[in-house]
Structures are given as structure tokens and as C-alpha cells.
Amino acid sequence: MTTTDSDADTKVALLDKNIEKMEELTRRLTSAISRKGQPNTALQAPESELFARAATAYWQEAMQNPAKIIEHQMSYWSKTLTHFVAAQRTLAQGKLKAPEDPTPSDRRFSNELWESHPYFNYIKQQYFINAEAIRQAVQDIDDVDETERRRLRYFTEQIVDMMAPTNFLATNPDALQKAVETDGESLVKGMENLIADLEANDGELIVRLADEQAFKIGENIATCEGKVVYRNHMMELIQYSPTTEKVRELPIVLFPPWINKFYILDLKEKNSLIKWIVEQGYTLFVVSWINPDDSYADTGLEDYINDGYLRAIELAKEICGTKQVNAVGYCIAGTTLSMTLALLKARGDTSVKSATFFTTLTDFSDQGEFTPFLQNDFIDGIEAEIDKRGILDSYIMARTFSFLRSNDLVYMPAIRHYMMGETPPAFDLLYWNGDGANLPGKMAMQYLRGLCQRNEFSEGTFELMGEVLDLKDVTVSLCAIVAETDHIAAWKDCYRGVQKMGSRSKSFIVSESGHIAGIVNPPSKEKYGHYVNDDMSLTADEWIKGAEFNKGSWWPRWESWLKPRSGKLVAARIPGESAHKALCDAPGTYVMVKARR
């Protein structure tokens, strides 16, 4: 027997072994999937009536204007036939290469075989032709309102993204090459990864985005020094240790969103906003919210405000011996901070000197990219889920946000993890993104129905805690920071809400980048710049057109705005030295609690 024969036999044996493993894993996969309960169909897809109305409108258009439909079909057929003929002509010339490729650049198709190999290139070009035809068909539908058109566009894009040839093994050259190179081992590892993710989530497929073993909260993530100085059923209040001898008199109380954990603002030293604020000479308190289970089913926005916001503000005043604080709210916590300020206004309470809002929506008259998820069929489905479980499970929120960027947050990670057998990267931001929190049932429905659907706070009709809350009653001095490419809180929608606030002193900053990177943008990086414009009477388009662009982070500009509103310099306060003793070290215990199902 030759060496070559021996090597071949070894490869065949290894391949046979991996095939046996795949058969065993397939049985485990079936078992893992069977653990999933009956799905809530309202959360899987829109009501069938949406597609029925679209189909009816499409065929009505065909009857009334057949030339338009025929033109659309002929264009699709023509492009498909031209593409086929070009590929055939190249092969007929004896050239094993792809024809001219007019398709746009797309990082899903970065493997050079998509450009050079006639098989893969043909599939790629036809995919783009098909996608264009589907989009055009939706665009050509006239007899639907704008809300339905937005929904149709969204679900159309989901179909287009899902059917990309990169998502299937037989048409993914990266996955095929790796399977050959590893004698099928990559497919075995990918199947193991898939089963592990299913088993970890009771049969729900939640793609892991980061290596969860690479991070430990309090050790290599969320490491800024401080103490938990108070704890109740809603939150832990962390007071961070000073790094300067003197601090500004008025403390800062920062309210992070409770959809995720607060340590997005303290991932690591070099990009920690928490650390940076402390270094500028401020006493900083940060709320760490409870990760609720079904015992919190009846917890509402009033509980977050009363036992979270108001309690944290009072504690900061007591510990620091001041009559006022400066407050900061991020995302949904900024929305709730604005409601808290309207409540304080109604009560004649001036405890908040100034407010800062990070990527905060307060006017929901334009639902933007969330339109598909804020119609009654989807919200009814969420309400049914809450009635059954008492909470809105974190994975539902995570899935919703992920499918707004499905290629980046669903399909490409799934290809690497399942099809190519790779371990997810040790990326702190993605680790945080996967460390979600549940929402109490009552609070979730108050937010979705009252704010998102009915826009009651902006309209001045939101009833809570014995008051009717109105956005115009936010009258403290304020600074709003938004992100230019934010797909969760679109900056123009945030701008519209700030315009409706009653404050006489408003500062508005548009940071480059998105919902997270636009906020977590340390000066040392010199990465993203920001826009400023003092004229808040303009439309959003006019505002950005006339805005001044500044290189670098917005953090120093905000601190310059905050400093004159923060009082004189006083001796630094040490956590635990007031009447409120230290309960434990930061980052506390609540942040360690994983979402419970």
C-alpha cells in the first residue's frame, strides 16, 4: 500500500467517524427541539390578513393596470435570461470563470469564489435579481396605507435576507471549503454548537454572539470601584469611589435601561463612561435594576419611578447633603426619567437641577423601524405571552432587536457558529448584548400600549400615580445626546420629543454612529465626531443641515455643559461613610442575575 493510499484511507475513516457523530447529534437535535413549547404564532409572523390585503391590492392593480405588472414581470424575466445567457456564453468559450458581475458590494459575499467561480457567481447574481424583483413588487402595491407598506417592506426584507445563498451549506463556499479542509469536523462542531444553544434556551434558537466563558462580571468587565449603598426590590444603588480630592457639590444619578444591564457604561477601563465621569470630579450614583421573574408580574412604571427614580434621587441627596441632583437617563430609562420630571413638576418638587437624556424617545408619533412590532397583532401576542408567564421574556426583546439587523445579528453569526463550527468571539459588547433582562408584565404593557401605540405622554394624557403626565412639563435645564445611525431610537424622533419639552434651556447633540457606539465613545479613541446647533426651532433636516460638526467625542462638551450646573468644589465623598453603609462592592448582586424563565 502506498503512502497516498494510506492517507486516503485515513481521511475516509475520519469522514466516516464524523458522519456517525452527525447521526448521533441529529438525534440530540430532535430531542432539544422537542423541548420547545407550543409557539405563540402572533410573535412569529404578522397576521395573515396583512398578506391577504397585499395580495388583493396587487391583483387589483394587475386588473386595473395590467401593463405595469407585465412590465415588472418582463423586466425580471429579461434580467434572469440575460444573466443565464451570459453565464452559458462564458462556459461555451471554454472558460471556467464568471461573466461580468454588476451586483453591489456585500460583505456576505466576500469569498473570492463568489466573483470567480461560475457556479457561485451565477447563484449570487440570481439572488440579487430575485431580491430586486420582490422589492419592486412590494413597492408597486398602491392600495395600502403607509403603516402596512412599512410592515410589508420589513417582512419582505426578512424573506430576502433569510433566502440568501450564504445561509445554506450547498451554496456557501466558506462553509464548504472548511468542511473539506477539516474532513467534516467543522460540521460536527457546528451541530454541537447548535444543540448547545437549543438546550440552553429550552428549545428556542438564540444565536450566541459572544464567548460567554471569556468574561466574568466584576473581574474583567464592570470593574470600576464603588459600593452598593442601598438595595430594595427594584434596584441596587451604587456609589462610585472618587479618584479626585475634590468633587462637584451636586451628585449625578444615572439611570440605565432595564432591558439590559448597566455595565454597558463600564465594559472596560478605556471606554468606561462611569470611570470617566468620576475622573472629572463628580460623585456618581448608578442604578442597577433587578432582573425580574414572574413574581414581578404586577410591577408597573409607577414602581420603577417611586422605588427606583424617586428613591435613588432622595438617597443621593441624603448621602451628599444637597437639595438637588443632576439626573441622566439612557434609552427607556430616559423616557421614564422624563415622566418622573413631569411628575415632580406636578408635585412642585425641584430635586432635579438638570437632566441628560441618552438616545431617548418621548414622542412615538412616528414608530419608525419598530412599526412592524407595534401593531395590534404583535402587541396582542405579547399580551397573551405576558398573561401566561407574567413577564416579557428577555429572549423576545433580544430577538426583536436582532431582526432589525438580521444579517449582522442573526444570519452571519449563525453561519460562523453552526455552519463553520467556530467559537463566538470574546467581544465584551456582544457579551453584554446577550446578557438581557426580563420585563415585568404590567410595565411592558403600559409602555407598549400607552406610550408606543397611543403616544399618551407626548399628547399629555398619560395617567400615572394620581397625575396626568405631559411631556411639556419637562421644564428643567436639559441636554440630549442622540446617535446619527441609531436604529432603535432614531435621532429625528428623539429631536421631535425634545422640541416638545417645556424646558427653556436645551442642548442637543448628534453623535456619529449608533445606539451604543454613539454613546460609549471615549475621547481617547478620537473615533466618532458630533454635531451641534443651538436652534431647536428648526425641523430635524434643517437642524442637521445647519449644524456644526466637531471631531472627537461629545463627552467633554457635555461635561462643560454640566459643570456650571453642578455647584462648587467640595471634599470627595467616600462610599459607605454616610449613614448609608456599604452593602457590598460594585458592581453588586443584581447585575449577576441572569434572565429567569
Side-chain angles (χ1 to χ4, degrees):
M1 180 182 290
T2 65
T3 303
T4 303
D5 291 337
S6 177
D7 289 344
D9 288 343
T10 300
K11 280 185 168 293
V12 170
L14 182 57
L15 186 58
D16 287 342
K17 183 178 179 181
N18 284 329
I19 290 173
E20 289 178 9
K21 285 184 181 178
M22 290 291 286
E23 291 173 351
E24 178 187 344
L25 288 170
T26 300
R27 290 190 289 272
R28 281 184 58 198
L29 177 62
T30 302
S31 175
I33 294 173
S34 67
R35 293 167 59 181
K36 181 180 178 180
Q38 188 67 25
N40 184 334
T41 55
L43 300 181
Q44 310 301 318
E47 58 183 354
S48 58
E49 285 81 1
L50 174 66
F51 296 121
R53 287 192 296 270
T56 300
Y58 184 85
W59 287 112
Q60 283 178 346
E61 180 72 15
M63 297 295 291
Q64 296 168 7
N65 188 6
K68 182 177 179 181
I69 303 300
I70 292 171
E71 179 184 358
H72 177 252
Q73 289 297 312
M74 289 302 295
S75 174
Y76 171 66
W77 293 344
S78 174
K79 289 177 181 177
T80 297
L81 186 59
T82 300
H83 172 215
F84 177 76
V85 169
Q88 288 292 94
R89 184 182 297 121
T90 302
L91 290 175
Q93 294 171 352
K95 300 175 182 177
L96 189 63
K97 69 174 187 178
E100 183 179 347
D101 186 350
T103 57
S105 175
D106 188 320
R107 60 196 181 97
R108 290 176 295 176
F109 301 95
S110 59
N111 189 305
E112 64 91 16
L113 289 177
W114 289 114
E115 303 297 327
S116 63
H117 196 287
Y119 167 72
F120 290 112
N121 184 263
Y122 181 84
I123 291 169
K124 171 194 166 190
Q125 290 202 45
Q126 190 61 45
Y127 167 70
F128 279 104
I129 291 171
N130 294 346
E132 180 187 0
I134 293 170
R135 293 185 181 112
Q136 190 60 51
V138 172
Q139 186 61 35
D140 286 347
I141 298 173
D142 292 329
D143 193 22
V144 293
D145 62 29
E146 183 55 31
T147 296
E148 289 188 337
R149 187 179 300 280
R150 282 187 180 185
R151 300 180 78 200
L152 284 170
R153 284 180 189 145
Y154 169 79
F155 290 111
T156 297
E157 288 304 316
Q158 293 305 310
I159 293 170
V160 167
D161 289 345
M162 180 178 64
M163 297 308 295
T166 47
N167 295 338
F168 302 91
L169 178 62
T171 51
N172 186 317
D174 292 299
L176 288 171
Q177 285 175 327
K178 189 158 187 180
V180 171
E181 291 168 2
T182 63
D183 297 312
E185 183 66 23
S186 61
L187 298 178
V188 172
K189 288 183 178 178
M191 182 75 86
E192 289 173 341
N193 292 340
L194 173 61
I195 292 169
D197 285 354
L198 285 167
E199 289 177 341
N201 295 285
D202 294 330
E204 293 286 350
L205 180 54
I206 301 174
V207 183
R208 273 194 300 133
L209 300 178
D211 182 0
E212 296 177 359
Q213 306 305 313
F215 300 101
K216 191 162 185 180
I217 296 172
E219 292 187 11
N220 62 354
I221 199 168
T223 59
C224 202
E225 292 186 8
K227 304 288 184 182
V228 173
V229 294
Y230 179 79
R231 180 186 296 124
N232 65 14
H233 68 293
M234 293 301 299
M235 57 101 176
E236 289 182 332
L237 185 65
I238 302 170
Q239 180 183 353
Y240 283 93
S241 301
T243 56
T244 57
E245 291 184 1
K246 299 285 188 179
V247 295
R248 291 289 162 183
E249 182 181 18
L250 266 61
I252 298 172
V253 185
L254 193 157
F255 300 95
W258 51 87
I259 294 173
N260 287 91
K261 308 291 183 62
F262 80 88
Y263 63 84
I264 184 58
L265 302 175
D266 188 29
L267 286 176
K268 51 195 170 198
E269 284 192 14
K270 64 182 180 181
N271 66 359
S272 172
L273 178 60
I274 287 174
K275 182 176 183 291
W276 187 85
I277 290 173
V278 172
E279 289 176 343
Q280 308 315 303
Y282 292 89
T283 302
L284 176 64
F285 295 88
V286 174
V287 167
S288 176
W289 300 103
I290 188 69
N291 194 343
D293 56 19
D294 57 6
S295 67
Y296 283 77
D298 295 325
T299 297
L301 285 169
E302 60 270 27
D303 299 292
Y304 279 89
I305 291 175
N306 195 58
D307 297 330
Y309 287 77
L310 298 182
R311 188 67 184 121
I313 289 169
E314 284 304 311
L315 286 163
K317 287 162 51 181
E318 290 175 20
I319 291 170
C320 296
T322 62
K323 294 182 179 180
Q324 290 184 306
V325 304
N326 290 310
V328 180
Y330 191 173
C331 191
I332 188 176
T335 307
T336 311
L337 173 60
S338 65
M339 291 190 287
T340 302
L341 293 171
L343 178 69
L344 291 175
K345 171 79 172 178
R347 293 178 174 180
D349 189 326
T350 59
S351 292
V352 177
K353 173 80 171 179
S354 76
T356 299
F357 301 101
F358 296 163
T359 62
T360 294
L361 289 169
T362 50
D363 182 338
F364 296 86
S365 56
D366 186 339
Q367 296 170 344
E369 290 195 48
F370 280 92
T371 298
F373 305 107
L374 293 176
Q375 306 315 303
N376 278 330
D377 56 349
F378 193 80
I379 301 302
D380 288 347
I382 286 178
E383 191 164 25
E385 189 77 7
I386 286 171
D387 288 343
K388 181 171 66 175
R389 302 182 61 87
I391 56 173
L392 178 56
D393 201 312
S394 66
Y395 90 88
I396 295 177
M397 296 296 294
R399 185 178 63 183
T400 301
F401 288 127
S402 292
F403 274 99
L404 290 174
R405 293 293 181 268
S406 57
N407 283 325
D408 292 334
L409 297 176
V410 180
Y411 297 121
M412 291 177 72
I415 289 167
R416 291 191 296 267
H417 195 38
Y418 306 141
M419 210 180 288
M420 301 182 70
E422 296 177 1
T423 300
F427 188 7
D428 53 9
L429 176 58
L430 292 180
Y431 174 82
W432 167 84
N433 188 71
D435 190 15
N438 300 323
L439 300 183
K442 181 180 178 181
M443 170 265 137
M445 295 314 301
Q446 286 173 315
Y447 182 79
L448 292 170
R449 296 288 194 198
L451 298 180
C452 296
Q453 282 196 318
R454 297 194 291 267
N455 200 26
E456 289 176 350
F457 183 44
S458 178
E459 299 296 331
T461 59
F462 192 74
E463 296 184 18
L464 197 70
M465 301 174 71
E467 302 286 351
V468 179
L469 304 183
D470 193 331
L471 183 57
K472 67 178 175 54
D473 289 332
V474 177
T475 56
V476 302
S477 179
L478 68 88
C479 180
I481 297 95
V482 298
E484 186 177 20
T485 59
D486 194 333
H487 65 286
I488 294 174
W491 81 263
K492 291 182 180 180
D493 297 333
C494 297
Y495 179 82
R496 187 174 60 250
V498 172
Q499 282 185 311
K500 290 186 175 182
M501 293 178 181
S503 308
R504 294 183 179 179
S505 174
K506 300 177 183 177
S507 181
F508 194 80
I509 301 170
V510 176
S511 173
E512 290 184 309
S513 197
H515 193 71
I516 301 301
I519 299 301
V520 184
N521 181 24
S524 59
K525 289 283 189 180
E526 298 183 355
K527 193 170 184 180
Y528 300 119
H530 59 280
Y531 299 87
V532 292
N533 187 337
D534 292 334
D535 191 349
M536 293 292 294
S537 67
L538 304 172
T539 65
D541 289 333
E542 291 169 341
W543 187 95
I544 198 69
K545 184 177 181 180
E548 174 192 350
F549 177 74
N550 298 266
K551 291 183 178 180
S553 172
W554 56 267
W555 292 9
R557 179 179 296 275
W558 171 63
E559 197 275 327
S560 296
W561 174 88
L562 186 65
K563 185 183 294 183
R565 295 166 172 80
S566 301
K568 63 182 183 295
L569 289 171
V570 298
R573 296 118 171 175
I574 308 301
E577 290 191 354
S578 70
H580 295 277
K581 303 303 179 184
L583 303 180
C584 66
D585 290 334
T589 61
Y590 282 4
V591 73
M592 306 292 186
V593 179
K594 298 295 182 181
R596 290 161 287 182
R597 301 185 65 188

